[in-house]
């Protein structure tokens, strides 16, 4: 993370501990326990999309393209004066984040605000944004392609990249019926 400049050495008077959390896959994830900091933070009230609004927007569409941004919250640079609050302890010393970390109570609201800045005029009309997940929807293939071009153009102009995932492969299956 230091080599990728996501974090840097710190001399902050703030420090949160590292914790290990088990993933569903059985792997361990290193997290920063920001509970103490979050309890002292003024909460950002920027809303996340409501599930019912998302479902209502999808009606009448037949083509859906799901995308996930790479690096999630790390797409947002921390303000220099706020980096000290993200400091965390490691066996190698004290570090702080240069980019927005997960675990801060206002990280989701900050990221959603960025997505609304980029796609707000299209949200619920041609795309659904939920943090770093994007769902482009359209009634037919030609409209879907135009909408995808718009999304890719905006992502490119803001320096955001999509995560690479394995393509979903489907095939038709014949259902066998029991014999008489």
């Amino acid at each position: 993370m230091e080599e990728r400049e996501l974090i840097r050495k710190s001399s902050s008077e703030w420090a949160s501990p590292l914790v290990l959390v088990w993933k569903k896959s059985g792997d361990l994830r290193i997290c920063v326990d920001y509970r103490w900091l979050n309890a002292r933070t003024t909460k950002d009230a920027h809303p996340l999309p409501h599930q019912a609004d998302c479902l209502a927007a999808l009606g009448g569409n037949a083509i859906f393209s799901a995308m996930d941004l790479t690096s999630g919250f790390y797409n947002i640079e921390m303000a220099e004066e706020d980096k000290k609050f993200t400091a965390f302890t490691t066996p190698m010393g004290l570090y702080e984040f240069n980019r927005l970390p997960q675990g801060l109570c206002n990280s989701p609201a900050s990221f959603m605000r960025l997505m609304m800045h980029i796609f707000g005029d299209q949200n619920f009309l041609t795309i659904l944004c939920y943090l770093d997940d994007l769902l482009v929807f359209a009634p037919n293939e030609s409209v879907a392609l135009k909408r995808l071009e718009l999304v890719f153009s905006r992502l490119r102009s803001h320096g955001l990249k999509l995560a690479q995932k394995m393509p979903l492969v489907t095939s038709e299956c014949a259902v066998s019926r029991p014999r008489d």
Side-chain angles (χ1 to χ4, degrees):
M1 292 177 75
E2 189 175 14
E3 288 173 6
R4 292 177 32 210
E5 297 182 354
L6 299 174
I7 62 173
R8 67 182 185 191
K9 294 205 180 285
S10 178
S11 59
S12 175
E13 63 277 9
W14 297 78
S16 294
L18 285 180
V19 293
L20 296 174
V21 177
W22 290 103
K23 294 181 181 181
K24 290 180 184 177
S25 66
D27 294 336
L28 278 174
R29 171 181 288 156
I30 297 175
C31 300
V32 180
D33 183 356
Y34 285 123
R35 287 180 292 183
W36 189 86
L37 177 63
N38 287 337
R40 288 149 183 79
T41 300
T42 302
K43 306 304 185 269
D44 184 339
H46 193 280
L48 296 177
H50 191 272
Q51 188 175 13
D53 296 333
C54 294
L55 291 173
L58 299 177
N61 291 284
I63 308 286
F64 302 90
S65 300
M67 295 168 270
D68 185 30
L69 293 176
T70 188
S71 302
F73 294 167
Y74 293 156
N75 285 292
I76 299 177
E77 188 170 356
M78 289 293 300
E80 190 62 38
E81 65 271 15
D82 294 333
K83 291 179 182 181
K84 66 181 179 184
F85 299 115
T86 69
F88 58 94
T89 57
T90 74
M92 287 76 65
L94 189 65
Y95 288 85
E96 62 192 22
F97 278 91
N98 291 315
R99 312 298 289 183
L100 185 65
Q102 291 186 35
L104 295 177
C105 60
N106 289 335
S107 290
S110 296
F111 195 83
M112 201 64 215
R113 188 174 284 107
L114 170 68
M115 298 310 289
M116 288 300 93
H117 170 74
I118 298 170
F119 295 112
D121 65 324
Q122 295 298 309
N123 202 32
F124 294 104
L125 299 174
T126 65
I127 186 172
L128 290 178
C129 300
Y130 189 85
L131 299 173
D132 63 345
D133 294 317
L134 306 174
L135 180 65
V136 179
F137 53 90
N140 58 56
E141 189 175 329
S142 63
V143 172
L145 291 173
K146 288 177 185 168
R147 291 178 178 181
L148 286 168
E149 284 179 18
L150 174 71
V151 169
F152 296 151
S153 172
R154 289 189 184 186
L155 290 172
R156 191 177 309 110
S157 69
H158 287 87
L160 300 175
K161 295 182 179 163
L162 295 172
Q164 293 183 359
K165 295 194 177 191
M166 295 299 294
L168 176 64
V169 178
T170 60
S171 63
E172 292 187 32
C173 299
V175 177
S176 61
R177 296 179 176 256
R179 293 183 188 172
D180 292 327

